[in-house]
Coordinates of all heavy atoms in Angstrom, one line a residue:
R1 N 15.6 7.3 37.9 CA 14.9 7.9 39.1 C 15.8 8.9 39.7 O 17.0 8.9 39.7 CB 14.7 6.8 40.1 CG 13.6 5.8 39.7 CD 13.4 4.8 40.9 NE 12.4 3.8 40.5 CZ 11.1 4.0 40.5 NH1 10.6 5.2 41.0 NH2 10.2 3.1 40.1
K2 N 15.1 10.0 40.3 CA 15.8 11.0 41.0 C 15.0 11.2 42.3 O 13.8 11.6 42.2 CB 15.9 12.3 40.2 CG 16.7 13.4 40.8 CD 16.8 14.6 39.9 CE 17.7 15.6 40.5 NZ 17.8 16.8 39.6
N3 N 15.6 11.1 43.4 CA 15.0 11.2 44.7 C 13.8 10.3 44.8 O 12.7 10.7 45.3 CB 14.6 12.7 45.0 CG 15.8 13.6 45.0 OD1 16.9 13.2 45.4 ND2 15.6 14.9 44.7
G4 N 13.8 9.1 44.3 CA 12.8 8.1 44.3 C 11.7 8.3 43.3 O 10.7 7.6 43.2
K5 N 11.7 9.4 42.5 CA 10.7 9.7 41.6 C 11.2 9.3 40.2 O 12.3 9.6 39.8 CB 10.4 11.2 41.5 CG 9.4 11.7 40.5 CD 9.2 13.2 40.5 CE 8.3 13.6 39.4 NZ 8.9 14.4 38.3
L6 N 10.3 8.6 39.4 CA 10.6 8.1 38.1 C 10.6 9.4 37.2 O 9.6 10.1 37.1 CB 9.6 7.1 37.6 CG 9.9 6.4 36.3 CD1 11.1 5.6 36.4 CD2 8.7 5.5 36.0
L7 N 11.7 9.6 36.5 CA 11.8 10.8 35.6 C 11.2 10.4 34.2 O 11.3 9.3 33.7 CB 13.3 11.2 35.4 CG 14.0 11.6 36.6 CD1 15.5 11.9 36.4 CD2 13.4 12.9 37.3
S8 N 10.5 11.4 33.6 CA 10.0 11.2 32.3 C 11.1 11.6 31.3 O 12.1 12.2 31.7 CB 8.8 12.2 32.0 OG 9.3 13.5 31.9
L9 N 11.0 11.2 30.0 CA 12.0 11.6 29.1 C 12.1 13.1 28.9 O 13.2 13.6 28.6 CB 11.6 11.0 27.7 CG 11.8 9.4 27.6 CD1 11.4 8.9 26.3 CD2 13.2 9.0 28.0
I10 N 11.0 13.9 29.1 CA 11.0 15.3 29.1 C 11.9 15.9 30.2 O 12.6 16.8 30.1 CB 9.6 15.9 29.0 CG1 8.9 15.5 27.7 CG2 9.6 17.4 29.2 CD1 9.5 16.0 26.4
D11 N 11.8 15.2 31.4 CA 12.5 15.6 32.6 C 14.0 15.5 32.3 O 14.9 16.3 32.7 CB 12.2 14.8 33.8 CG 10.8 15.0 34.3 OD1 10.3 16.1 34.1 OD2 10.2 14.1 35.0
I12 N 14.4 14.5 31.6 CA 15.8 14.1 31.2 C 16.3 15.0 30.1 O 17.4 15.6 30.2 CB 15.9 12.7 30.9 CG1 15.5 11.8 32.1 CG2 17.4 12.3 30.4 CD1 15.4 10.3 31.8
Y13 N 15.6 15.1 29.0 CA 16.1 15.7 27.8 C 15.5 17.1 27.6 O 16.0 17.8 26.7 CB 15.8 14.9 26.6 CG 16.5 13.6 26.6 CD1 15.9 12.4 26.8 CD2 17.9 13.5 26.3 CE1 16.5 11.1 26.8 CE2 18.6 12.3 26.4 CZ 17.9 11.1 26.6 OH 18.5 9.9 26.6
E14 N 14.5 17.5 28.2 CA 13.7 18.8 28.1 C 13.0 18.9 26.7 O 11.8 19.3 26.7 CB 14.7 20.0 28.3 CG 15.2 20.1 29.6 CD 16.1 21.3 29.8 OE1 16.1 22.2 28.9 OE2 16.7 21.5 30.9
E15 N 13.6 18.5 25.6 CA 13.0 18.6 24.3 C 13.4 17.4 23.6 O 14.5 17.0 23.6 CB 13.4 19.9 23.6 CG 12.7 20.0 22.3 CD 13.2 21.3 21.5 OE1 14.3 21.4 21.1 OE2 12.3 22.2 21.5
L16 N 12.4 16.8 22.9 CA 12.6 15.6 22.1 C 12.2 15.8 20.6 O 11.3 16.6 20.4 CB 11.8 14.4 22.6 CG 12.3 13.9 24.0 CD1 11.3 12.9 24.5 CD2 13.6 13.2 23.9
D17 N 12.8 15.1 19.7 CA 12.5 15.2 18.3 C 11.6 13.9 18.1 O 11.8 12.9 18.7 CB 13.7 15.1 17.4 CG 14.7 16.3 17.7 OD1 14.2 17.4 17.7 OD2 15.9 16.0 17.8
Y18 N 10.6 14.1 17.2 CA 9.9 12.9 16.8 C 9.7 13.0 15.3 O 9.6 14.1 14.7 CB 8.5 12.8 17.5 CG 7.5 13.8 17.3 CD1 6.5 13.7 16.3 CD2 7.5 15.0 18.0 CE1 5.5 14.7 16.1 CE2 6.5 16.0 17.8 CZ 5.6 15.8 16.9 OH 4.6 16.8 16.7
E19 N 9.7 11.8 14.7 CA 9.6 11.7 13.2 C 8.3 10.9 12.9 O 8.1 9.8 13.5 CB 10.8 11.1 12.6 CG 10.6 11.0 11.1 CD 11.8 10.3 10.4 OE1 12.0 9.1 10.6 OE2 12.6 11.0 9.8
I20 N 7.5 11.5 12.1 CA 6.3 10.8 11.7 C 6.5 10.2 10.3 O 6.9 10.9 9.4 CB 5.1 11.8 11.5 CG1 4.8 12.5 12.9 CG2 3.8 11.1 11.0 CD1 3.9 13.6 12.8
R21 N 6.3 8.9 10.2 CA 6.4 8.2 8.9 C 4.9 7.9 8.5 O 4.2 7.2 9.2 CB 7.2 7.0 9.1 CG 8.7 7.3 9.3 CD 9.6 6.2 9.6 NE 9.4 5.0 8.8 CZ 9.6 3.7 9.2 NH1 10.0 3.5 10.5 NH2 9.4 2.7 8.4
L22 N 4.6 8.4 7.4 CA 3.2 8.2 6.8 C 3.4 7.4 5.6 O 3.9 7.8 4.6 CB 2.6 9.5 6.5 CG 1.2 9.5 5.9 CD1 0.2 9.0 6.9 CD2 0.8 10.9 5.3
K23 N 2.7 6.2 5.6 CA 2.7 5.3 4.5 C 1.4 5.4 3.7 O 0.3 5.3 4.3 CB 2.9 3.8 5.0 CG 3.5 2.9 3.9 CD 3.5 1.5 4.5 CE 4.8 1.3 5.4 NZ 4.9 -0.1 5.8
T24 N 1.5 5.7 2.4 CA 0.4 5.9 1.6 C 0.5 4.9 0.4 O 1.5 4.3 0.2 CB 0.3 7.3 1.0 OG1 1.4 7.5 0.1 CG2 0.4 8.4 2.0
P25 N -0.6 4.8 -0.3 CA -0.5 3.8 -1.5 C 0.6 4.3 -2.5 O 1.1 3.5 -3.2 CB -1.9 3.9 -2.1 CG -2.8 4.3 -1.0 CD -2.0 5.2 -0.1
E26 N 0.9 5.6 -2.5 CA 1.9 6.1 -3.4 C 3.3 6.0 -2.9 O 4.3 6.1 -3.6 CB 1.6 7.6 -3.7 CG 0.4 7.9 -4.5 CD -0.9 7.9 -3.6 OE1 -0.8 8.3 -2.4 OE2 -1.9 7.4 -4.1
G27 N 3.5 5.7 -1.6 CA 4.8 5.7 -1.0 C 4.9 6.1 0.4 O 3.9 6.0 1.1
E28 N 6.0 6.5 0.9 CA 6.2 6.9 2.3 C 6.7 8.3 2.4 O 7.5 8.7 1.7 CB 7.2 5.9 3.0 CG 7.3 6.1 4.4 CD 8.1 5.0 5.1 OE1 7.9 3.9 4.8 OE2 9.0 5.4 5.9
Q29 N 6.1 9.1 3.4 CA 6.5 10.4 3.6 C 7.0 10.5 5.1 O 6.5 9.8 5.9 CB 5.4 11.4 3.4 CG 4.7 11.4 2.1 CD 3.5 12.3 2.0 OE1 3.2 13.0 3.0 NE2 2.7 12.1 1.0
R30 N 7.9 11.5 5.3 CA 8.5 11.7 6.7 C 8.4 13.1 7.0 O 8.5 14.0 6.2 CB 9.9 11.2 6.7 CG 10.1 9.7 6.5 CD 11.6 9.4 6.4 NE 11.8 8.0 6.1 CZ 12.2 7.1 7.0 NH1 12.5 7.5 8.2 NH2 12.4 5.8 6.6
R31 N 8.1 13.4 8.3 CA 7.9 14.8 8.8 C 8.5 14.8 10.2 O 8.2 13.9 11.0 CB 6.5 15.1 8.8 CG 6.3 16.6 9.2 CD 4.8 17.0 9.0 NE 4.2 17.1 10.3 CZ 2.9 17.3 10.5 NH1 2.1 17.2 9.4 NH2 2.4 17.4 11.6
S32 N 9.4 15.7 10.5 CA 10.1 15.8 11.8 C 9.5 17.0 12.6 O 9.2 18.0 11.9 CB 11.6 16.0 11.6 OG 12.2 14.8 11.0
E33 N 9.3 16.8 13.8 CA 8.8 17.9 14.8 C 9.5 17.8 16.0 O 10.3 16.8 16.3 CB 7.3 17.7 14.9 CG 6.4 17.6 13.7 CD 6.0 19.0 13.2 OE1 6.0 19.9 14.1 OE2 5.7 19.1 12.1
K34 N 9.2 18.7 17.0 CA 9.8 18.7 18.3 C 8.7 18.8 19.3 O 7.5 19.2 19.1 CB 10.7 19.9 18.5 CG 11.9 19.9 17.7 CD 12.9 21.1 18.0 CE 14.1 21.0 17.2 NZ 15.0 19.8 17.4
T35 N 8.9 18.2 20.5 CA 7.9 18.3 21.6 C 8.6 18.5 22.9 O 9.8 18.1 23.1 CB 7.1 17.0 21.6 OG1 6.0 17.2 22.6 CG2 7.9 15.8 22.0
T36 N 7.8 19.1 23.8 CA 8.3 19.3 25.2 C 7.2 18.7 26.2 O 7.2 19.0 27.4 CB 8.5 20.8 25.5 OG1 7.3 21.5 25.2 CG2 9.6 21.4 24.7
R37 N 6.4 17.8 25.6 CA 5.3 17.2 26.5 C 5.3 15.7 26.4 O 5.7 15.1 25.4 CB 3.9 17.7 25.9 CG 3.9 19.3 26.1 CD 2.6 19.9 25.6 NE 1.4 19.2 26.1 CZ 0.3 19.2 25.4 NH1 0.1 19.8 24.2 NH2 -0.8 18.7 25.9
D38 N 4.9 15.0 27.5 CA 4.9 13.6 27.6 C 3.8 13.0 26.7 O 3.9 11.9 26.2 CB 4.7 13.1 29.0 CG 5.9 13.4 29.9 OD1 7.0 13.2 29.4 OD2 5.7 13.9 31.0
V39 N 2.7 13.7 26.6 CA 1.6 13.3 25.7 C 1.2 14.5 24.8 O 1.0 15.6 25.3 CB 0.3 12.9 26.6 CG1 -0.8 12.4 25.6 CG2 0.7 11.7 27.5
F40 N 1.1 14.2 23.5 CA 0.8 15.3 22.6 C 0.1 14.9 21.4 O 0.0 13.7 21.2 CB 2.1 16.0 22.2 CG 3.1 15.2 21.5 CD1 3.1 15.0 20.2 CD2 4.1 14.4 22.2 CE1 4.0 14.2 19.5 CE2 5.0 13.7 21.6 CZ 5.0 13.5 20.3
N41 N -0.6 15.8 20.8 CA -1.4 15.5 19.6 C -0.8 16.3 18.4 O -0.2 17.3 18.5 CB -2.8 16.1 19.8 CG -3.7 15.1 20.3 OD1 -3.3 14.3 21.1 ND2 -5.0 15.2 19.9
T42 N -1.0 15.7 17.2 CA -0.6 16.3 16.0 C -1.6 15.9 14.9 O -2.2 14.8 15.1 CB 0.8 16.0 15.5 OG1 1.2 16.8 14.5 CG2 1.0 14.5 15.3
V43 N -1.9 16.7 13.9 CA -2.8 16.5 13.0 C -2.1 16.4 11.6 O -1.5 17.4 11.3 CB -4.0 17.5 12.9 CG1 -5.0 17.2 11.8 CG2 -4.7 17.4 14.3
L44 N -2.3 15.4 10.8 CA -1.8 15.4 9.4 C -3.0 15.8 8.6 O -4.0 15.1 8.5 CB -1.4 14.0 9.0 CG -0.2 13.4 9.9 CD1 0.2 12.0 9.4 CD2 1.0 14.3 9.8
E45 N -2.9 16.9 7.9 CA -4.0 17.4 7.1 C -3.7 17.3 5.6 O -2.6 16.8 5.2 CB -4.1 18.9 7.4 CG -4.5 19.1 8.9 CD -4.8 20.6 9.2 OE1 -3.8 21.4 9.1 OE2 -5.9 20.9 9.6

């Protein structure tokens, strides 16, 4: 908290890395991305 306000992870770190692990019948794939938003969308095509 800062001044009584609960800080988000974006408030603290500004940018976060996220890793998507995709499990398929053939195995597992990994993909890394970055975000600066508390809620975000991504599409695996």
